[in-house]
Amino acid sequence: MRFNRTTALAAAGVLSLGLLAACDSGGDEPDTGSTSAGSPTGTQVTIRVAGLLPTADDAAKQQLADRVAAFEEKYPGITVETEDYEWLNSTFTTQLAGGTLPNVFEIPLTDGKTLIENGQLADIDAQVRALPYGEDFNESLLANGQDADGTIFAVPAKSIYAVALHYNRNLFEQAGLDPDDPPTTWDEVRTAAKTIHDKTGVAGYATMALDASGGWQLAAGANARGGVIETANGDGTYTASLDDPAVKEHLEWLRALRWEDDSLLARADLGWGEINAAFGGGELAMYTSGSDVYNALVEGNGVTADWGYGLTAIPTSGDGGALTGGTLAAVRKDSTDAEKDAAVKWIDWWYLSKLQDKDQAVADAQTRAEADPAQAVGTPVLPIFSEALYEENLGWIKDYVNVPLEDMQGYTDVMFTQTLVPEASVATQDLYNQLFPVVQAVITDQGADIDGLLATATTAAQAAIDAAS
């Protein structure tokens, strides 16, 4: 997916994990085969749904509870039970196999195809297409939740991101660096990281290294340098390329920061949540992650608009680009027809309708902005629907945007013009799982054999690709 435009867009919080005020967009309800009670038979139905991250604060939890109450008032035949939810590669497979996932759950954008092919998601095609905007999705995104025949099993739900560079502006200033002129090359990142460490004693850079998150960010670094971890052969088969020269180049760069400059945070136990917490706690100055992570930093890690947060584009070179991804909402395979119907109503209510309706968009932004503490409104993300609708949304919510957009211009200036690189098409998480031990080895062992480790990882990754194909 690539978008082009000449004018930089700011950002729309309407694509974040929305917490809408109780409101009704008006108009007719989509006909998904339900009675007014919310199920095909008019009987009461209860669904469990993915809620907030386990680290969410009390204000966010109260907003979710209010939103559930408003939903149940609108659909008196449906009871919604929320549960804390964070997709983790290490636990998801067990939850899926054991039937312990909620009826509505979230998965990475790239996992949709595999789960569909394995018959592990419910068919929600009729319910989604019956929504007023059911035919209006960004086709390249929706394809991740469709089978070969175009049947819908999952929909883009939130935070379609590109990997970006996040940085602590206060640490830049303390080190005598200009936070309004963040690094644009990997060499500049290295120089800034060493300067920050030498001047402040704080690690200038950190990287995820735990579970698939570590492989994800190593892949992002390689993509930015023009490499890929999987190549399509043109005949429907794929080849693992974890030994791509760009992968090694990024690992050597990390090794230099760790063992030559002493500027890399010496922790090999940082996953997505852990590195957010470390960043929010002031343990590091820079790291790469999805452009949308500011929401999680605000809602779970104590970051505020005046904290000193900065966002800029990931450095790229040659044919490199920013790795992109996002989240799909799916429904558990064993859900009944009544549960599927109720689940899509919830997906519409919680994730999507606010992107199409001005009243709901404004209510969402107002509720988030007026929470105590305030939630983020305006975090940069890429559009689930059209770019034109995205711009229209910006106009709807402009009075409530509370993120420091002036400190995010390094990213927002290029977010629709930079080259975007999709994640690997087959066995994505398996490839990431083969890469993260290599990252850990580089962090913990100065003499790690990068070539040997990548050769072993590539062999195992190819086996995973062949098994999934």
Side-chain angles (χ1 to χ4, degrees), residues 1-3 9 12 15 138 141 158-163 291-292 322-325 355 379-386 390 411 414-418 420:
M1 176 179 68
R2 179 168 180 167
F3 298 87
L9 286 179
L15 292 185
N138 180 327
L141 295 182
K158 66 176 185 179
S159 296
I160 308 302
Y161 63 82
V163 171
S291 57
D292 61 330
L323 178 62
T324 189
L355 309 184
T379 302
V381 288
L382 297 174
I384 288 175
F385 297 105
S386 70
Y390 182 95
Y411 177 74
V414 302
M415 64 183 288
F416 285 108
T417 58
Q418 65 179 344
L420 298 178

PDB file of all heavy atoms in Angstrom, residues 1-3 9 12 15 138 141 158-163 291-292 322-325 355 379-386 390 411 414-418 420:
ATOM      1  N   MET A   1       0.862  -1.187   0.000  1.00  0.00           N
ATOM      2  CA  MET A   1       0.000   0.000   0.000  1.00  0.00           C
ATOM      3  C   MET A   1       0.890   1.225   0.000  1.00  0.00           C
ATOM      4  O   MET A   1       1.752   1.394   0.836  1.00  0.00           O
ATOM      5  CB  MET A   1      -0.869  -0.002   1.255  1.00  0.00           C
ATOM      6  CG  MET A   1      -1.735   1.233   1.409  1.00  0.00           C
ATOM      7  SD  MET A   1      -2.746   1.163   2.894  1.00  0.00           S
ATOM      8  CE  MET A   1      -1.513   1.298   4.170  1.00  0.00           C
ATOM      9  N   ARG A   2       0.680   2.117  -0.974  1.00  0.00           N
ATOM     10  CA  ARG A   2       1.435   3.360  -1.000  1.00  0.00           C
ATOM     11  C   ARG A   2       0.516   4.500  -1.354  1.00  0.00           C
ATOM     12  O   ARG A   2      -0.285   4.395  -2.272  1.00  0.00           O
ATOM     13  CB  ARG A   2       2.583   3.274  -2.000  1.00  0.00           C
ATOM     14  CG  ARG A   2       3.373   4.589  -2.051  1.00  0.00           C
ATOM     15  CD  ARG A   2       4.670   4.469  -2.786  1.00  0.00           C
ATOM     16  NE  ARG A   2       5.351   5.754  -2.787  1.00  0.00           N
ATOM     17  CZ  ARG A   2       6.600   5.937  -3.135  1.00  0.00           C
ATOM     18  NH1 ARG A   2       7.318   4.915  -3.493  1.00  0.00           N
ATOM     19  NH2 ARG A   2       7.139   7.132  -3.129  1.00  0.00           N
ATOM     20  N   PHE A   3       0.628   5.604  -0.611  1.00  0.00           N
ATOM     21  CA  PHE A   3      -0.153   6.793  -0.867  1.00  0.00           C
ATOM     22  C   PHE A   3       0.793   7.915  -1.264  1.00  0.00           C
ATOM     23  O   PHE A   3       1.912   8.001  -0.797  1.00  0.00           O
ATOM     24  CB  PHE A   3      -0.936   7.220   0.379  1.00  0.00           C
ATOM     25  CG  PHE A   3      -1.920   6.196   0.837  1.00  0.00           C
ATOM     26  CD1 PHE A   3      -1.532   5.191   1.692  1.00  0.00           C
ATOM     27  CD2 PHE A   3      -3.235   6.236   0.405  1.00  0.00           C
ATOM     28  CE1 PHE A   3      -2.445   4.243   2.118  1.00  0.00           C
ATOM     29  CE2 PHE A   3      -4.149   5.299   0.839  1.00  0.00           C
ATOM     30  CZ  PHE A   3      -3.743   4.299   1.692  1.00  0.00           C
ATOM     31  N   LEU A   9      -0.180  15.679   5.709  1.00  0.00           N
ATOM     32  CA  LEU A   9      -1.348  15.611   6.583  1.00  0.00           C
ATOM     33  C   LEU A   9      -0.859  15.559   8.008  1.00  0.00           C
ATOM     34  O   LEU A   9       0.213  15.044   8.290  1.00  0.00           O
ATOM     35  CB  LEU A   9      -2.133  14.327   6.284  1.00  0.00           C
ATOM     36  CG  LEU A   9      -2.931  14.313   4.978  1.00  0.00           C
ATOM     37  CD1 LEU A   9      -3.627  12.990   4.830  1.00  0.00           C
ATOM     38  CD2 LEU A   9      -3.935  15.436   4.955  1.00  0.00           C
ATOM     39  N   ALA A  12      -5.091  11.859  12.521  1.00  0.00           N
ATOM     40  CA  ALA A  12      -6.468  11.795  12.995  1.00  0.00           C
ATOM     41  C   ALA A  12      -6.599  10.764  14.084  1.00  0.00           C
ATOM     42  O   ALA A  12      -6.374   9.596  13.862  1.00  0.00           O
ATOM     43  CB  ALA A  12      -7.410  11.436  11.845  1.00  0.00           C
ATOM     44  N   LEU A  15      -8.775   7.206  14.181  1.00  0.00           N
ATOM     45  CA  LEU A  15      -8.388   5.850  13.849  1.00  0.00           C
ATOM     46  C   LEU A  15      -7.772   5.145  15.038  1.00  0.00           C
ATOM     47  O   LEU A  15      -7.342   4.018  14.936  1.00  0.00           O
ATOM     48  CB  LEU A  15      -7.385   5.854  12.685  1.00  0.00           C
ATOM     49  CG  LEU A  15      -7.948   6.308  11.340  1.00  0.00           C
ATOM     50  CD1 LEU A  15      -6.898   6.151  10.259  1.00  0.00           C
ATOM     51  CD2 LEU A  15      -9.187   5.537  10.966  1.00  0.00           C
ATOM     52  N   ASN A 138     -10.597   0.439   2.146  1.00  0.00           N
ATOM     53  CA  ASN A 138      -9.385   0.446   1.353  1.00  0.00           C
ATOM     54  C   ASN A 138      -9.132  -0.998   0.921  1.00  0.00           C
ATOM     55  O   ASN A 138      -8.853  -1.873   1.743  1.00  0.00           O
ATOM     56  CB  ASN A 138      -8.218   0.975   2.206  1.00  0.00           C
ATOM     57  CG  ASN A 138      -6.908   1.032   1.471  1.00  0.00           C
ATOM     58  OD1 ASN A 138      -6.620   0.218   0.601  1.00  0.00           O
ATOM     59  ND2 ASN A 138      -6.088   1.997   1.834  1.00  0.00           N
ATOM     60  N   LEU A 141      -6.134  -3.050   2.060  1.00  0.00           N
ATOM     61  CA  LEU A 141      -6.143  -3.446   3.466  1.00  0.00           C
ATOM     62  C   LEU A 141      -7.148  -4.560   3.718  1.00  0.00           C
ATOM     63  O   LEU A 141      -6.854  -5.538   4.401  1.00  0.00           O
ATOM     64  CB  LEU A 141      -6.478  -2.249   4.351  1.00  0.00           C
ATOM     65  CG  LEU A 141      -5.471  -1.099   4.361  1.00  0.00           C
ATOM     66  CD1 LEU A 141      -5.941  -0.025   5.328  1.00  0.00           C
ATOM     67  CD2 LEU A 141      -4.083  -1.578   4.723  1.00  0.00           C
ATOM     68  N   LYS A 158      -8.077  -0.865  13.294  1.00  0.00           N
ATOM     69  CA  LYS A 158      -7.474   0.305  13.942  1.00  0.00           C
ATOM     70  C   LYS A 158      -6.010   0.400  13.571  1.00  0.00           C
ATOM     71  O   LYS A 158      -5.370  -0.558  13.160  1.00  0.00           O
ATOM     72  CB  LYS A 158      -7.618   0.236  15.464  1.00  0.00           C
ATOM     73  CG  LYS A 158      -6.829  -0.905  16.109  1.00  0.00           C
ATOM     74  CD  LYS A 158      -6.920  -0.873  17.623  1.00  0.00           C
ATOM     75  CE  LYS A 158      -6.034  -1.938  18.245  1.00  0.00           C
ATOM     76  NZ  LYS A 158      -6.069  -1.940  19.702  1.00  0.00           N
ATOM     77  N   SER A 159      -5.491   1.592  13.717  1.00  0.00           N
ATOM     78  CA  SER A 159      -4.059   1.859  13.724  1.00  0.00           C
ATOM     79  C   SER A 159      -3.296   1.151  12.617  1.00  0.00           C
ATOM     80  O   SER A 159      -2.516   0.235  12.857  1.00  0.00           O
ATOM     81  CB  SER A 159      -3.471   1.464  15.087  1.00  0.00           C
ATOM     82  OG  SER A 159      -4.022   2.259  16.094  1.00  0.00           O
ATOM     83  N   ILE A 160      -3.530   1.555  11.377  1.00  0.00           N
ATOM     84  CA  ILE A 160      -2.694   1.097  10.291  1.00  0.00           C
ATOM     85  C   ILE A 160      -1.461   1.995  10.302  1.00  0.00           C
ATOM     86  O   ILE A 160      -1.552   3.195  10.052  1.00  0.00           O
ATOM     87  CB  ILE A 160      -3.440   1.183   8.945  1.00  0.00           C
ATOM     88  CG1 ILE A 160      -4.802   0.473   9.048  1.00  0.00           C
ATOM     89  CG2 ILE A 160      -2.596   0.581   7.839  1.00  0.00           C
ATOM     90  CD1 ILE A 160      -4.736  -0.986   9.459  1.00  0.00           C
ATOM     91  N   TYR A 161      -0.331   1.423  10.589  1.00  0.00           N
ATOM     92  CA  TYR A 161       0.840   2.220  10.914  1.00  0.00           C
ATOM     93  C   TYR A 161       1.982   1.976   9.926  1.00  0.00           C
ATOM     94  O   TYR A 161       2.005   0.995   9.181  1.00  0.00           O
ATOM     95  CB  TYR A 161       1.347   1.855  12.317  1.00  0.00           C
ATOM     96  CG  TYR A 161       1.800   0.409  12.407  1.00  0.00           C
ATOM     97  CD1 TYR A 161       3.070   0.037  11.983  1.00  0.00           C
ATOM     98  CD2 TYR A 161       0.943  -0.583  12.872  1.00  0.00           C
ATOM     99  CE1 TYR A 161       3.471  -1.288  12.017  1.00  0.00           C
ATOM    100  CE2 TYR A 161       1.338  -1.902  12.910  1.00  0.00           C
ATOM    101  CZ  TYR A 161       2.606  -2.256  12.482  1.00  0.00           C
ATOM    102  OH  TYR A 161       2.998  -3.569  12.500  1.00  0.00           O
ATOM    103  N   ALA A 162       2.943   2.866   9.958  1.00  0.00           N
ATOM    104  CA  ALA A 162       4.260   2.634   9.383  1.00  0.00           C
ATOM    105  C   ALA A 162       5.262   2.739  10.528  1.00  0.00           C
ATOM    106  O   ALA A 162       5.095   3.565  11.431  1.00  0.00           O
ATOM    107  CB  ALA A 162       4.575   3.663   8.306  1.00  0.00           C
ATOM    108  N   VAL A 163       6.287   1.916  10.521  1.00  0.00           N
ATOM    109  CA  VAL A 163       7.296   2.001  11.568  1.00  0.00           C
ATOM    110  C   VAL A 163       8.013   3.340  11.465  1.00  0.00           C
ATOM    111  O   VAL A 163       8.360   3.799  10.372  1.00  0.00           O
ATOM    112  CB  VAL A 163       8.294   0.835  11.463  1.00  0.00           C
ATOM    113  CG1 VAL A 163       9.478   1.041  12.406  1.00  0.00           C
ATOM    114  CG2 VAL A 163       7.590  -0.486  11.795  1.00  0.00           C
ATOM    115  N   SER A 291       4.033   3.903  14.111  1.00  0.00           N
ATOM    116  CA  SER A 291       3.803   5.343  14.255  1.00  0.00           C
ATOM    117  C   SER A 291       2.663   5.660  15.212  1.00  0.00           C
ATOM    118  O   SER A 291       2.537   6.785  15.697  1.00  0.00           O
ATOM    119  CB  SER A 291       3.498   5.958  12.888  1.00  0.00           C
ATOM    120  OG  SER A 291       2.372   5.324  12.279  1.00  0.00           O
ATOM    121  N   ASP A 292       1.831   4.662  15.510  1.00  0.00           N
ATOM    122  CA  ASP A 292       0.649   4.871  16.349  1.00  0.00           C
ATOM    123  C   ASP A 292       0.902   4.638  17.830  1.00  0.00           C
ATOM    124  O   ASP A 292      -0.024   4.737  18.640  1.00  0.00           O
ATOM    125  CB  ASP A 292      -0.472   3.936  15.889  1.00  0.00           C
ATOM    126  CG  ASP A 292      -0.076   2.462  16.011  1.00  0.00           C
ATOM    127  OD1 ASP A 292       1.122   2.154  15.881  1.00  0.00           O
ATOM    128  OD2 ASP A 292      -0.970   1.619  16.222  1.00  0.00           O
ATOM    129  N   ALA A 322       9.526   2.242   4.829  1.00  0.00           N
ATOM    130  CA  ALA A 322       9.014   2.020   6.177  1.00  0.00           C
ATOM    131  C   ALA A 322       8.107   0.795   6.199  1.00  0.00           C
ATOM    132  O   ALA A 322       7.141   0.720   5.438  1.00  0.00           O
ATOM    133  CB  ALA A 322       8.249   3.246   6.660  1.00  0.00           C
ATOM    134  N   LEU A 323       8.425  -0.159   7.055  1.00  0.00           N
ATOM    135  CA  LEU A 323       7.584  -1.341   7.225  1.00  0.00           C
ATOM    136  C   LEU A 323       6.216  -0.906   7.727  1.00  0.00           C
ATOM    137  O   LEU A 323       6.104  -0.093   8.651  1.00  0.00           O
ATOM    138  CB  LEU A 323       8.226  -2.291   8.232  1.00  0.00           C
ATOM    139  CG  LEU A 323       7.459  -3.575   8.572  1.00  0.00           C
ATOM    140  CD1 LEU A 323       7.288  -4.451   7.335  1.00  0.00           C
ATOM    141  CD2 LEU A 323       8.161  -4.338   9.688  1.00  0.00           C
ATOM    142  N   THR A 324       5.166  -1.448   7.125  1.00  0.00           N
ATOM    143  CA  THR A 324       3.815  -1.082   7.523  1.00  0.00           C
ATOM    144  C   THR A 324       3.051  -2.304   8.008  1.00  0.00           C
ATOM    145  O   THR A 324       3.388  -3.448   7.678  1.00  0.00           O
ATOM    146  CB  THR A 324       3.061  -0.413   6.350  1.00  0.00           C
ATOM    147  OG1 THR A 324       1.823   0.119   6.816  1.00  0.00           O
ATOM    148  CG2 THR A 324       2.775  -1.397   5.236  1.00  0.00           C
ATOM    149  N   GLY A 325       2.034  -2.061   8.793  1.00  0.00           N
ATOM    150  CA  GLY A 325       1.214  -3.148   9.325  1.00  0.00           C
ATOM    151  C   GLY A 325      -0.004  -2.573  10.005  1.00  0.00           C
ATOM    152  O   GLY A 325      -0.338  -1.401   9.824  1.00  0.00           O
ATOM    153  N   LEU A 355     -15.445   6.441  11.947  1.00  0.00           N
ATOM    154  CA  LEU A 355     -14.644   6.878  10.808  1.00  0.00           C
ATOM    155  C   LEU A 355     -15.517   7.396   9.674  1.00  0.00           C
ATOM    156  O   LEU A 355     -15.030   8.076   8.777  1.00  0.00           O
ATOM    157  CB  LEU A 355     -13.782   5.726  10.288  1.00  0.00           C
ATOM    158  CG  LEU A 355     -12.932   4.977  11.319  1.00  0.00           C
ATOM    159  CD1 LEU A 355     -12.079   3.943  10.625  1.00  0.00           C
ATOM    160  CD2 LEU A 355     -12.076   5.944  12.126  1.00  0.00           C
ATOM    161  N   THR A 379      -3.212  11.073  16.955  1.00  0.00           N
ATOM    162  CA  THR A 379      -2.003  10.295  16.686  1.00  0.00           C
ATOM    163  C   THR A 379      -1.936   9.889  15.215  1.00  0.00           C
ATOM    164  O   THR A 379      -2.925   9.412  14.661  1.00  0.00           O
ATOM    165  CB  THR A 379      -1.972   9.047  17.573  1.00  0.00           C
ATOM    166  OG1 THR A 379      -2.031   9.459  18.945  1.00  0.00           O
ATOM    167  CG2 THR A 379      -0.719   8.232  17.347  1.00  0.00           C
ATOM    168  N   PRO A 380      -0.798  10.057  14.552  1.00  0.00           N
ATOM    169  CA  PRO A 380      -0.698   9.748  13.121  1.00  0.00           C
ATOM    170  C   PRO A 380      -0.917   8.274  12.806  1.00  0.00           C
ATOM    171  O   PRO A 380      -0.278   7.403  13.393  1.00  0.00           O
ATOM    172  CB  PRO A 380       0.741  10.155  12.781  1.00  0.00           C
ATOM    173  CG  PRO A 380       1.145  11.113  13.841  1.00  0.00           C
ATOM    174  CD  PRO A 380       0.445  10.654  15.076  1.00  0.00           C
ATOM    175  N   VAL A 381      -1.829   8.007  11.902  1.00  0.00           N
ATOM    176  CA  VAL A 381      -2.097   6.660  11.400  1.00  0.00           C
ATOM    177  C   VAL A 381      -2.459   6.766   9.923  1.00  0.00           C
ATOM    178  O   VAL A 381      -2.683   7.854   9.404  1.00  0.00           O
ATOM    179  CB  VAL A 381      -3.259   5.991  12.175  1.00  0.00           C
ATOM    180  CG1 VAL A 381      -2.838   5.609  13.585  1.00  0.00           C
ATOM    181  CG2 VAL A 381      -4.478   6.899  12.227  1.00  0.00           C
ATOM    182  N   LEU A 382      -2.535   5.636   9.248  1.00  0.00           N
ATOM    183  CA  LEU A 382      -2.909   5.605   7.840  1.00  0.00           C
ATOM    184  C   LEU A 382      -4.364   5.182   7.710  1.00  0.00           C
ATOM    185  O   LEU A 382      -4.896   4.464   8.563  1.00  0.00           O
ATOM    186  CB  LEU A 382      -1.986   4.656   7.077  1.00  0.00           C
ATOM    187  CG  LEU A 382      -0.508   5.074   7.059  1.00  0.00           C
ATOM    188  CD1 LEU A 382       0.357   3.994   6.416  1.00  0.00           C
ATOM    189  CD2 LEU A 382      -0.320   6.392   6.336  1.00  0.00           C
ATOM    190  N   PRO A 383      -5.063   5.604   6.653  1.00  0.00           N
ATOM    191  CA  PRO A 383      -6.520   5.449   6.594  1.00  0.00           C
ATOM    192  C   PRO A 383      -7.014   4.053   6.263  1.00  0.00           C
ATOM    193  O   PRO A 383      -6.509   3.393   5.363  1.00  0.00           O
ATOM    194  CB  PRO A 383      -6.922   6.438   5.484  1.00  0.00           C
ATOM    195  CG  PRO A 383      -5.732   6.520   4.609  1.00  0.00           C
ATOM    196  CD  PRO A 383      -4.549   6.396   5.515  1.00  0.00           C
ATOM    197  N   ILE A 384      -8.038   3.627   7.018  1.00  0.00           N
ATOM    198  CA  ILE A 384      -8.716   2.361   6.745  1.00  0.00           C
ATOM    199  C   ILE A 384      -9.628   2.501   5.537  1.00  0.00           C
ATOM    200  O   ILE A 384      -9.812   1.554   4.772  1.00  0.00           O
ATOM    201  CB  ILE A 384      -9.519   1.918   7.986  1.00  0.00           C
ATOM    202  CG1 ILE A 384      -8.555   1.452   9.085  1.00  0.00           C
ATOM    203  CG2 ILE A 384     -10.515   0.805   7.639  1.00  0.00           C
ATOM    204  CD1 ILE A 384      -9.235   1.113  10.388  1.00  0.00           C
ATOM    205  N   PHE A 385     -10.182   3.689   5.357  1.00  0.00           N
ATOM    206  CA  PHE A 385     -11.035   3.940   4.198  1.00  0.00           C
ATOM    207  C   PHE A 385     -10.250   4.818   3.211  1.00  0.00           C
ATOM    208  O   PHE A 385      -9.092   4.535   2.945  1.00  0.00           O
ATOM    209  CB  PHE A 385     -12.360   4.550   4.650  1.00  0.00           C
ATOM    210  CG  PHE A 385     -13.165   3.615   5.530  1.00  0.00           C
ATOM    211  CD1 PHE A 385     -13.247   3.812   6.902  1.00  0.00           C
ATOM    212  CD2 PHE A 385     -13.804   2.511   4.975  1.00  0.00           C
ATOM    213  CE1 PHE A 385     -13.963   2.934   7.704  1.00  0.00           C
ATOM    214  CE2 PHE A 385     -14.523   1.621   5.766  1.00  0.00           C
ATOM    215  CZ  PHE A 385     -14.604   1.836   7.131  1.00  0.00           C
ATOM    216  N   SER A 386     -10.811   5.867   2.677  1.00  0.00           N
ATOM    217  CA  SER A 386     -10.121   6.661   1.664  1.00  0.00           C
ATOM    218  C   SER A 386      -9.309   7.783   2.301  1.00  0.00           C
ATOM    219  O   SER A 386      -9.595   8.236   3.422  1.00  0.00           O
ATOM    220  CB  SER A 386     -11.135   7.266   0.698  1.00  0.00           C
ATOM    221  OG  SER A 386     -11.902   8.269   1.345  1.00  0.00           O
ATOM    222  N   TYR A 390     -10.201  10.536   5.322  1.00  0.00           N
ATOM    223  CA  TYR A 390      -9.243  10.835   6.381  1.00  0.00           C
ATOM    224  C   TYR A 390      -9.108  12.350   6.574  1.00  0.00           C
ATOM    225  O   TYR A 390      -9.167  12.866   7.691  1.00  0.00           O
ATOM    226  CB  TYR A 390      -7.891  10.226   6.005  1.00  0.00           C
ATOM    227  CG  TYR A 390      -6.781  10.409   7.024  1.00  0.00           C
ATOM    228  CD1 TYR A 390      -6.515   9.427   7.966  1.00  0.00           C
ATOM    229  CD2 TYR A 390      -5.991  11.553   7.029  1.00  0.00           C
ATOM    230  CE1 TYR A 390      -5.491   9.570   8.885  1.00  0.00           C
ATOM    231  CE2 TYR A 390      -4.971  11.716   7.948  1.00  0.00           C
ATOM    232  CZ  TYR A 390      -4.723  10.719   8.869  1.00  0.00           C
ATOM    233  OH  TYR A 390      -3.709  10.878   9.779  1.00  0.00           O
ATOM    234  N   TYR A 411       7.632  12.999  10.910  1.00  0.00           N
ATOM    235  CA  TYR A 411       6.857  11.883  10.367  1.00  0.00           C
ATOM    236  C   TYR A 411       5.683  12.364   9.524  1.00  0.00           C
ATOM    237  O   TYR A 411       5.480  11.899   8.397  1.00  0.00           O
ATOM    238  CB  TYR A 411       6.350  10.987  11.491  1.00  0.00           C
ATOM    239  CG  TYR A 411       5.479   9.861  10.968  1.00  0.00           C
ATOM    240  CD1 TYR A 411       6.050   8.775  10.304  1.00  0.00           C
ATOM    241  CD2 TYR A 411       4.093   9.891  11.102  1.00  0.00           C
ATOM    242  CE1 TYR A 411       5.263   7.755   9.791  1.00  0.00           C
ATOM    243  CE2 TYR A 411       3.306   8.880  10.597  1.00  0.00           C
ATOM    244  CZ  TYR A 411       3.898   7.814   9.941  1.00  0.00           C
ATOM    245  OH  TYR A 411       3.119   6.813   9.432  1.00  0.00           O
ATOM    246  N   VAL A 414       5.940  13.325   5.818  1.00  0.00           N
ATOM    247  CA  VAL A 414       6.208  12.319   4.772  1.00  0.00           C
ATOM    248  C   VAL A 414       5.285  11.112   4.844  1.00  0.00           C
ATOM    249  O   VAL A 414       5.435  10.167   4.067  1.00  0.00           O
ATOM    250  CB  VAL A 414       7.675  11.838   4.849  1.00  0.00           C
ATOM    251  CG1 VAL A 414       8.632  13.003   4.703  1.00  0.00           C
ATOM    252  CG2 VAL A 414       7.953  11.088   6.154  1.00  0.00           C
ATOM    253  N   MET A 415       4.318  11.130   5.757  1.00  0.00           N
ATOM    254  CA  MET A 415       3.569   9.895   6.023  1.00  0.00           C
ATOM    255  C   MET A 415       2.801   9.377   4.815  1.00  0.00           C
ATOM    256  O   MET A 415       2.528   8.176   4.717  1.00  0.00           O
ATOM    257  CB  MET A 415       2.634  10.075   7.227  1.00  0.00           C
ATOM    258  CG  MET A 415       1.530  11.106   7.037  1.00  0.00           C
ATOM    259  SD  MET A 415       0.510  11.317   8.531  1.00  0.00           S
ATOM    260  CE  MET A 415      -0.425   9.790   8.552  1.00  0.00           C
ATOM    261  N   PHE A 416       2.449  10.249   3.872  1.00  0.00           N
ATOM    262  CA  PHE A 416       1.740   9.781   2.691  1.00  0.00           C
ATOM    263  C   PHE A 416       2.606   9.767   1.437  1.00  0.00           C
ATOM    264  O   PHE A 416       2.117   9.473   0.352  1.00  0.00           O
ATOM    265  CB  PHE A 416       0.487  10.624   2.452  1.00  0.00           C
ATOM    266  CG  PHE A 416      -0.626  10.304   3.403  1.00  0.00           C
ATOM    267  CD1 PHE A 416      -0.964  11.186   4.407  1.00  0.00           C
ATOM    268  CD2 PHE A 416      -1.317   9.116   3.304  1.00  0.00           C
ATOM    269  CE1 PHE A 416      -1.991  10.887   5.298  1.00  0.00           C
ATOM    270  CE2 PHE A 416      -2.331   8.807   4.195  1.00  0.00           C
ATOM    271  CZ  PHE A 416      -2.671   9.697   5.191  1.00  0.00           C
ATOM    272  N   THR A 417       3.870  10.094   1.579  1.00  0.00           N
ATOM    273  CA  THR A 417       4.749  10.085   0.412  1.00  0.00           C
ATOM    274  C   THR A 417       5.900   9.100   0.537  1.00  0.00           C
ATOM    275  O   THR A 417       6.506   8.732  -0.464  1.00  0.00           O
ATOM    276  CB  THR A 417       5.340  11.488   0.159  1.00  0.00           C
ATOM    277  OG1 THR A 417       6.049  11.925   1.322  1.00  0.00           O
ATOM    278  CG2 THR A 417       4.235  12.479  -0.173  1.00  0.00           C
ATOM    279  N   GLN A 418       6.206   8.662   1.758  1.00  0.00           N
ATOM    280  CA  GLN A 418       7.310   7.731   1.922  1.00  0.00           C
ATOM    281  C   GLN A 418       6.957   6.368   1.326  1.00  0.00           C
ATOM    282  O   GLN A 418       5.784   5.995   1.201  1.00  0.00           O
ATOM    283  CB  GLN A 418       7.662   7.570   3.399  1.00  0.00           C
ATOM    284  CG  GLN A 418       6.574   6.927   4.241  1.00  0.00           C
ATOM    285  CD  GLN A 418       6.975   6.768   5.698  1.00  0.00           C
ATOM    286  OE1 GLN A 418       8.146   6.850   6.056  1.00  0.00           O
ATOM    287  NE2 GLN A 418       6.000   6.541   6.558  1.00  0.00           N
ATOM    288  N   LEU A 420       6.323   2.598   1.421  1.00  0.00           N
ATOM    289  CA  LEU A 420       5.854   1.672   2.450  1.00  0.00           C
ATOM    290  C   LEU A 420       6.164   0.242   2.021  1.00  0.00           C
ATOM    291  O   LEU A 420       5.949  -0.130   0.871  1.00  0.00           O
ATOM    292  CB  LEU A 420       4.354   1.838   2.679  1.00  0.00           C
ATOM    293  CG  LEU A 420       3.893   3.212   3.179  1.00  0.00           C
ATOM    294  CD1 LEU A 420       2.383   3.247   3.321  1.00  0.00           C
ATOM    295  CD2 LEU A 420       4.561   3.557   4.512  1.00  0.00           C
TER     296      LEU A 420
END
